[in-house]
Amino acid sequence: MASPKLELPPWWAWPLIVLMFPVAVVVMMALLIAIMVVGPIIMFYSLLNFPAHRRARQRLREEDESLRLSLTAQGRYISPGKLPELQQVSRGTFLVESRSPKEWGRIWWTADDLSQQPPLDSMREVPVNSSAWNSSELEQFARQCQETQLDPAEGKGYLVEGKPQEVLRQFPETPAYLLAKWFPEEYQIYPMVD
């Protein structure tokens, strides 16, 4: 049985191999230096940022608890089990507050069927990813929803106990909209879709 013959690269590849070896060494050294310099900076930043992030989370929990207590006193904090009774008058609308693009906040229910009100009534067939959802008219409507439905002092909406995903799963027939305020003075509203 003959052993396999080892094939060498062609003659013109040898100069390339010789030239590429120092380049590879320089690139590897640069990466190693970058890791040694940037790694500790990232670690130091993370250690400094951890307490601030934790405090911000704690402040959000305290604000949520304060809001819940205030709305409970007004009779505007309800469990999902109370919704069928309230929906006998109107199926209403869910509004999901969004604190950031990656995080849903609280879920509210209002007796008003917002999907039948302008400008949402004309947006039923428009896909969510359409630029039509970024109009100034819809931004003004979202601001109005924030003020008339979700305002803790004067709003008409009920804060619903539980996670938005779970509540929406229990009431799939009720229209639901994401009410986003990711930047100061910038409001957006989008339909909730699966």
Side-chain angles (χ1 to χ4, degrees):
M1 185 181 213
S3 63
K5 186 177 178 185
L6 181 66
E7 284 194 34
L8 296 174
W11 67 268
W12 52 266
W14 287 106
L16 286 176
I17 292 170
V18 170
L19 289 174
M20 290 305 291
F21 181 74
V23 171
V25 169
V26 169
V27 167
M28 292 299 287
M29 291 298 289
L31 284 174
L32 186 60
I33 290 170
I35 290 170
M36 289 172 57
V37 170
V38 174
I41 292 171
I42 291 173
M43 180 79 87
F44 182 70
Y45 175 76
S46 298
L47 289 174
L48 286 179
N49 194 29
F50 180 73
H53 178 73
R54 193 168 173 184
R55 178 65 189 131
R57 284 295 212 189
Q58 178 65 28
R59 192 173 52 244
L60 273 177
R61 281 194 295 275
E62 289 169 0
E63 287 174 10
D64 284 349
E65 182 64 18
S66 174
L67 177 67
R68 186 185 68 76
L69 291 173
S70 169
L71 293 176
T72 299
Q74 298 175 37
R76 290 180 52 210
Y77 182 73
I78 58 173
S79 68
K82 181 121 170 102
L83 282 171
E85 177 186 323
L86 293 171
Q87 287 184 328
Q88 288 177 356
V89 176
S90 166
R91 73 178 176 161
T93 307
F94 285 118
L95 292 171
V96 177
E97 274 187 288
S98 178
R99 296 175 175 145
S100 71
K102 294 182 179 181
E103 181 181 7
W104 289 0
R106 302 176 276 249
I107 183 164
W108 298 75
W109 180 82
T110 177
D112 299 339
D113 190 353
L114 300 177
S115 65
Q116 303 296 322
Q117 295 180 10
L120 290 182
D121 61 344
S122 63
M123 300 294 289
R124 283 191 207 124
E125 303 300 321
V126 179
V128 179
N129 57 359
S130 169
S131 62
W133 283 99
N134 294 324
S135 72
S136 60
E137 185 180 12
L138 282 167
E139 184 178 342
Q140 180 60 36
F141 183 76
R143 178 175 281 125
Q144 178 185 346
C145 285
Q146 180 77 31
E147 294 168 0
T148 60
Q149 304 296 338
L150 279 54
D151 183 79
E154 300 175 13
K156 299 186 294 185
Y158 293 86
L159 181 61
V160 182
E161 179 183 13
K163 294 183 179 180
Q165 298 91 329
E166 294 170 4
V167 174
L168 293 175
R169 204 174 301 121
Q170 291 177 5
F171 301 93
E173 300 300 318
T174 305
Y177 292 92
L178 183 72
L179 192 58
K181 185 182 177 192
W182 299 333
F183 305 103
E185 299 305 315
E186 184 178 318
Y187 293 84
Q188 296 172 318
I189 190 165
Y190 301 103
M192 300 289 295
V193 292
D194 293 331

